[in-house]
Amino acid sequence: MRNPLARRRRNDSDAALLLGAGLGAALGAAAWYWNDTRYSLKGQVALIAGASRGLGLELAEEFARQGCSVVICARNEEELGRARASLESRGARVFAIPCDVGDREQVQRLVSLARARFGSIDILCNVAGIIQVGPIESMTAADFEEAMKVMFWGTVYPTLEVLPAMMARQRGRIVNITSIGGKVSVPHLIPYNCAKFAAVAFSEGLNAEMRAHNVKVVTIVPGLMRTGSFLNAFFKGRQEREFNWFGMGATMPGISMNARRAARQIVAAARRGQSERVLSKPAQALALLHGVFPGLTAELMAMANSLLLPVAEGGSTGRVSGTEVSSRTAVGRALRVLGGRAARRLNQVGPKAA
């Protein structure tokens, strides 16, 4: 016959162990949070890869506002010069270096010049991106290669270049701007999704390994954002119709997020060393739904593709920029006006187009 008192003592002991473990975890989490809330960005050096326009430019401005010296890079020297002038007019201490982050030798030169100027890189923010919109029938292997070069290798190369010094100092932040397209594969954006999925995998795995070296890796997962980036996206297939649906999503409040608010949240996550931050309520809801019911999400994406997105028939395998295609239809011109303020402020259009 079992002794009920012995069983009760055993249950009480198990409860005490669980309570102790929970209390220890809570105290550890509180200590971790308190330590990171005290982490100051003032006087640090932030390298923002892909900062000549859009979210990258907004992030450079926000890091500068927090007291950082900023290094910005991009492929287009004219855009980069305008970005540098804009940041300097706001009092930023900025160093602009032309660089294609998908080219390893150029990235090595970028980091070398940044260190020669400022001594060290405390924060790396990988933002560079390219958006190709259209059905799979219009995409080529070159589209996938270009997307991977910019958004996967363009994240890996800068990270591997700054990582050894951060590990040696036992200090640093790496912020990877991915996308909800790196969590849920959205139709008509497949090359983009593939590169972003790869970037998410790299960022999450790196975060796990770097904790032992006190280097915090932050994975940022934005949804649609009002940066004017749809004007520099590339459209294939039935180009005007592809531009219309994508441009509407990228300009409408409630669906898309204000870029300045997004930048503030990203910089706050970088300061705290937060492992992951999903931006905007729609993106959070979609990521949660896909995490719990991936099969349902796949069916919903298929339904959206069938009912809402343009068919491939009659489309082109050639591509045009959003700026070009926006002038072809009344809807395109209206979207350009609607997104014009953000586009001009964030250097998405040149002086003549503004």
Side-chain angles (χ1 to χ4, degrees):
M1 182 177 178
R2 294 180 179 178
N3 186 339
L5 293 177
R7 183 167 54 186
R8 181 177 177 180
R9 284 194 297 269
R10 185 168 60 252
N11 290 340
D12 290 345
S13 177
D14 291 344
L17 286 172
L18 288 172
L19 179 62
L23 182 60
L27 289 173
W32 174 85
Y33 179 80
W34 172 249
N35 180 60
D36 283 325
T37 55
R38 297 168 61 194
Y39 187 91
S40 174
L41 299 178
K42 189 173 182 180
Q44 296 201 23
V45 176
L47 167 57
I48 301 98
S52 64
R53 65 182 187 226
L55 180 61
L57 179 56
E58 191 77 83
L59 282 168
E61 185 175 331
E62 184 61 26
F63 275 114
R65 191 179 292 117
Q66 296 294 323
C68 292
S69 298
V70 294
V71 180
I72 62 173
C73 77
R75 289 180 292 184
N76 188 307
E77 292 192 43
E78 183 181 347
E79 287 181 354
L80 191 62
R82 292 200 303 267
R84 177 188 54 75
S86 175
L87 291 166
E88 287 180 339
S89 71
R90 290 167 170 77
R93 188 184 181 200
V94 57
F95 184 31
I97 307 170
C99 178
D100 178 353
V101 292
D103 184 313
R104 190 173 185 182
E105 290 185 357
Q106 290 190 43
V107 170
Q108 289 171 341
R109 175 180 175 272
L110 164 71
V111 173
S112 177
L113 289 173
R115 285 175 175 155
R117 179 69 171 268
F118 291 121
S120 65
I121 297 169
D122 303 293
I123 303 160
L124 169 65
C125 193
N126 292 305
V127 194
I130 184 170
I131 303 173
Q132 306 129 313
V133 185
I136 191 64
E137 292 94 330
S138 69
M139 297 296 171
T140 67
D143 293 311
F144 286 87
E145 290 165 356
E146 184 180 29
M148 291 298 290
K149 178 184 177 184
V150 174
M151 293 178 288
F152 178 66
W153 291 112
T155 295
V156 172
Y157 289 153
T159 299
L160 295 183
E161 201 62 30
V162 304
L163 201 57
M166 288 184 176
M167 293 170 66
R169 293 197 310 270
Q170 292 283 295
R171 190 171 186 266
R173 296 286 195 270
I174 295 173
V175 183
N176 295 318
I177 309 299
T178 65
S179 170
I180 189 61
K183 296 282 190 178
V184 182
S185 195
V186 180
H188 289 226
L189 289 166
I190 295 181
Y192 178 85
N193 297 333
C194 290
K196 289 298 187 179
F197 261 82
V200 168
F202 175 71
S203 191
E204 290 181 351
L206 190 66
N207 172 64
E209 293 195 29
M210 286 301 104
R211 282 302 178 95
H213 301 280
N214 199 38
V215 175
K216 304 294 178 65
V217 181
V218 182
T219 305
I220 300 295
V221 184
L224 289 166
M225 201 174 299
R226 296 192 297 280
T227 64
S229 63
F230 68 100
L231 293 174
N232 284 295
F234 294 103
F235 296 88
K236 307 184 78 173
R238 304 182 75 169
Q239 296 160 344
E240 293 87 355
R241 295 186 182 185
E242 296 288 352
F243 176 85
N244 290 347
W245 79 261
F246 187 80
M248 285 180 185
T251 55
M252 299 296 288
I255 299 175
S256 60
M257 186 177 188
N258 177 275
R260 182 164 291 173
R261 184 160 63 93
R264 289 172 179 164
Q265 292 185 16
I266 292 167
V267 172
R271 180 174 55 81
R272 291 194 299 268
Q274 188 173 346
S275 297
E276 181 179 273
R277 181 68 185 265
V278 181
L279 303 181
S280 86
K281 298 298 182 185
Q284 290 167 5
L286 184 55
L288 179 61
L289 179 66
H290 187 64
V292 179
F293 303 110
L296 174 61
T297 311
E299 292 301 321
L300 291 174
M301 290 295 108
M303 187 181 301
N305 181 64
S306 297
L307 299 178
L308 303 176
L309 298 183
V311 297
E313 287 75 16
S316 170
T317 57
R319 72 181 193 180
V320 294
S321 71
T323 298
E324 181 181 344
V325 75
S326 67
S327 64
R328 297 179 183 175
T329 66
V331 173
R333 290 190 290 272
L335 287 172
R336 185 165 178 167
V337 171
L338 187 62
R341 183 178 178 184
R344 288 189 294 273
R345 187 174 67 83
L346 294 175
N347 202 25
Q348 298 282 8
V349 292
K352 291 181 181 179

